[in-house]
Amino acid sequence: MEENHDHANGPHLNKVFPKHDSQEDSEVDIVAVHGLDTSSPKTWLAYEKDGPPNVRGRVFNWLSDDDMLPTIVPKARIWTFDYNANYHSNASVVDLLALGETLLRSLSEIRSNALESAGSFKSGFEIVLRATTSVVFLGAPLRGTRAASSAQWRILLAGIRGHEVSDTLITDLNQNSTVLRNLIQGFSAKAIKGELQLSITCFYETRKTEVLNAVLPRSVTQFFPNFIQEILVSQESACIDGHDQIPLDARHAMMNKYRGPNDRNFLLVSNRIKKYVLGSPTKLALRASYHRNQTGEPNFWQPSQQEINCHQSLRTSDYESHKERNPDRVEGTCRWFLEHSHFQYWWKSKTSKLLWVSADPGCGKSVLAKSLVDKELKSTKFHTTCYFFFRDDNVEQASATNALCALLHQLFDQRKPLIKHALSDFRSNGVHLAMLFERLWCILKEAGADAETGTVVCIIDGLDECEESGRTKLLSYLDYFYSDTTSNDRRKMVVKFLITSRPYFHIERNLHGLISKYPVIRLAGEAETVSISREINLVIKVQVQRLGETLKLDDSVRLILEEELLKFKNRTYLWLHLILEVLRQRLETVS
């Protein structure tokens, strides 16, 4: 475990990954900045509370542990910005602006070569800004917090007792703080609405914090039993309008602490970071090419407030986390699909096509769909991939209207000017637009026919788990769309749907007209049981290896487990998942 960093040298950057000095493989820098009344690495540490005795109490540092963020973004350098965040004891008299300036100076030093390659812009902090591609906020009080007033009471009491205190940072965090308001306005104008178009995600807390216990002595809080728990930083304060807002099932202090690589909150945060890291080279190259143009500054698209509100209204589901419910594809699997001539024909076609992938339960359809989104069909400048994963155990995931909203939200996020196709309906219906299936479908068609759109790929997983009325409506609209080959808009657009489902009769019945008359491809996974079973063998080997490493099993025990699992006939992914979960629980008990 790392030791707490000494603040005697003042605010500074500290590299936590990679641990060696080599920087040859580094492509991007990730800088984590902690909040008040804490320090690094303490603020990033989580402790395992559950599990067998040999696991309980394990310490996780998601920024530096090899199986956590370093695995997600292996070619990134990860830093923490360490500063004296105390306000009630051993506090520094410093404000937010001064700390921000120190951070910028530190950033300009660690990546001087990369910053120069980003383009010969202006000197100083402007270079740092132009080399920054994205920001992730974890419960940051962007518009202040009510808890600041409680913290000021702690400062007063500590000062009376003779401690070295300072209220400069706390004062800046008061609700309706002029300093914060000016900072957000300037940031919005320069980095969000301006030419840079930073990618931003705001995560916000959904669990209450014992606020007074956190900022006041117990001897004081005992007199306020009814005012102990509240949301420390509200969604309104933690989020920026027009950008992704994602809830975490956590109280404020746990927004940046995760118990292992399978922690759901860690998966949400780390996958968003991964998305931004992978997109950084393209964004920087685009900026550099623009600024090398001798004709002057580029004319970047800048959204209006109405466009921002319209885009945000389509965020009706947490579609990213729905996708992340499914495991990653094991290398070497799904070849039966990726190499199939039907898939290759659908993908290479220059016209709109529908591909129905049917397979029995447990054959890995959702794993396949996730892999297509993340890897094989990942968005490029030539095509835009959008997705939705249906599940019947979650009302939000069972809605066909939510599916359309998710497709449009992703399309407008990746092709921002296309939001213009939704504005007329948004002006007429406001936030209720997100409940109007027919209007949403029309917007998708209009955006798809736009000359600037390119190919649109819509991946819909688990259609059989969509609620019945919505599924029927979606299939009827798909039938009409792919049947209407005469309209000019239909001929101009290339919109490809890939739908996975179980091979149920009612779905085949709804698609019968398309299957018999039009260029629809049905790829039946149930006819590929031998190939799928062969690939499950690979997954068994990988999962047993991981299980053995987690529980520290002897090689002989791993080998026995693997051999026994491979003996079973009629194996499916669902069977493997269930049997491994039972094995894991029993082996943990034995351990």
Side-chain angles (χ1 to χ4, degrees), residues 352 445 479-493 518-519:
S352 296
K445 288 202 304 178
D479 188 2
Y480 182 78
F481 173 75
Y482 284 103
S483 301
D484 182 19
T485 58
T486 59
S487 72
N488 290 330
D489 284 347
R490 170 69 172 78
R491 288 199 299 266
K492 287 190 297 183
M493 70 178 76
Y518 302 105

Side-chain angles (χ1 to χ4, degrees), residues 81-245:
F81 180 63
D82 303 336
Y83 65 97
N84 186 348
N86 298 330
Y87 57 83
H88 59 87
S89 178
N90 300 320
S92 296
V93 181
V94 63
D95 59 21
L96 288 176
L97 293 176
L99 281 174
E101 183 173 333
T102 304
L103 172 59
L104 290 174
R105 291 188 187 281
S106 302
L107 290 173
S108 65
E109 293 171 1
I110 66 169
R111 267 275 185 182
S112 57
N113 292 336
L115 296 177
E116 290 170 6
S117 67
S120 56
F121 314 122
K122 301 175 183 178
S123 60
F125 299 156
E126 184 77 10
I127 298 178
V128 176
L129 178 60
R130 292 189 180 279
T132 302
T133 62
S134 54
V135 182
V136 174
F137 292 105
L138 298 174
L142 303 176
R143 295 179 177 85
T145 171
R146 291 172 54 191
S149 57
S150 301
Q152 286 169 333
W153 277 100
R154 187 174 189 183
I155 292 171
L156 175 62
L157 294 173
I160 292 173
R161 294 199 296 269
H163 293 296
E164 190 177 0
V165 300
S166 172
D167 68 348
T168 52
L169 290 175
I170 291 296
T171 300
D172 288 343
L173 294 182
N174 277 318
Q175 281 188 314
N176 303 316
S177 163
T178 302
V179 172
L180 281 179
R181 184 169 62 252
N182 291 339
L183 285 174
I184 289 297
Q185 288 176 351
F187 179 64
S188 178
K190 188 76 172 179
I192 302 176
K193 295 181 180 178
E195 63 181 55
L196 296 178
Q197 294 289 301
L198 287 185
S199 299
I200 295 174
T201 296
C202 302
F203 291 90
Y204 62 92
E205 64 212 62
T206 58
R207 294 206 175 188
K208 294 181 178 181
T209 296
E210 294 184 356
V211 180
L212 296 185
N213 284 342
V215 299
L216 291 176
R218 178 68 65 178
S219 59
V220 175
T221 59
Q222 63 179 324
F223 299 109
F224 303 96
N226 298 324
F227 299 91
I228 289 182
Q229 292 194 343
E230 65 178 47
I231 295 293
L232 195 61
V233 179
S234 67
Q235 179 181 356
E236 180 184 10
S237 179
C239 299
I240 298 176
D241 294 339
H243 292 271
D244 286 349
Q245 304 179 15

